[in-house]
Amino acid sequence: MNEVIQNILNRRSWRSYEDKQIKEEELEQIIRCGLWAPSAMNQQSWHFTVVQDKETIQRIRKGCQEMMETDRDMFYGAPTLVIVTGKQDNIAPVADCSLAIQNMFLSAASLGIGSCWINCIGRYLTTPQGQAFAKDAGIPEGYIGVAGVILGYPKGEAPQGKERVEGAVDYIR
């Protein structure tokens, strides 16, 4: 197995992070890999908003907690949040953004950086508080929230992968 395949098979979602910001050059590589994801008809539907300011992350976290009616930290203490939005008028903005997120996950893992998909960001951006944030952050109008990507140096033991679902593949030859 080559390095790329091993990275795909071994990448995991991390839910515990060190209280230390990732390096700028690591972040730039991860973002660049997201930008080079395939997209429907090469429309590149995505827009990334990178948040590393602790107060801003706390503001978004609090908004998500209120929306989800929980006090759980759904960002797991990660120091970086990438908000991924997609141009809603394009052919496949959610699929395009999902591929960009996967590229970010794989590149982060290859650099020893943990990552996790955060679903609540999409819903948060539909709330009045989230819409105000989007406007303040410069997220273009006409973009829908797809997800958040949290990034940070992993803390603790690597999560174990679950067994793959039986019967998920059929071949017609």
Side-chain angles (χ1 to χ4, degrees):
M1 240 185 290
N2 69 35
E3 230 178 286
V4 173
I5 292 172
Q6 284 185 326
N7 193 39
I8 291 169
L9 297 177
N10 293 325
R11 190 214 65 82
R12 299 286 177 264
S13 293
W14 282 86
R15 292 177 179 86
S16 183
Y17 297 88
E18 292 181 13
D19 186 24
K20 177 182 172 186
Q21 191 54 264
I22 63 175
K23 296 175 186 165
E24 186 69 24
E25 57 271 14
E26 294 167 330
L27 174 62
E28 291 305 317
Q29 288 178 65
I30 293 166
I31 295 300
R32 185 167 188 225
C33 287
L35 292 171
W36 279 90
S39 63
M41 296 187 70
N42 199 24
Q43 289 188 322
Q44 303 176 36
S45 302
W46 47 73
H47 181 272
F48 307 148
T49 303
V50 180
V51 184
Q52 292 185 306
D53 175 69
K54 287 182 179 186
E55 289 179 15
T56 305
I57 289 176
Q58 180 57 26
R59 172 182 162 195
I60 298 166
R61 177 185 291 116
K62 188 175 184 325
C64 287
Q65 288 172 322
E66 289 170 3
M67 179 188 70
M68 302 292 287
E69 298 180 352
T70 184
D71 59 357
R72 182 173 68 83
D73 177 8
M74 61 264 319
F75 299 165
Y76 306 105
T80 297
L81 168 65
V82 181
I83 297 172
V84 181
T85 54
K87 189 172 184 182
Q88 67 185 19
D89 293 341
N90 281 6
I91 293 170
V94 174
D96 289 355
C97 289
S98 296
L99 287 167
I101 290 168
Q102 183 66 14
N103 270 18
M104 286 191 268
F105 284 168
L106 292 172
S107 60
S110 77
L111 296 169
I113 294 170
S115 63
C116 191
W117 181 297
I118 306 300
N119 272 317
C120 66
I121 293 296
R123 280 189 45 212
Y124 169 73
L125 292 175
T126 66
T127 68
Q129 184 182 12
Q131 289 172 345
F133 166 78
K135 185 176 181 180
D136 292 347
I139 295 174
E141 287 191 34
Y143 279 69
I144 55 171
V146 174
V149 173
I150 53 173
L151 299 166
Y153 297 117
K155 183 167 67 173
E157 294 294 316
Q160 294 300 308
K162 293 183 179 179
E163 289 298 317
R164 299 296 93 181
V165 175
E166 292 283 330
V169 179
D170 290 316
Y171 294 93
I172 301 173
R173 296 181 175 165

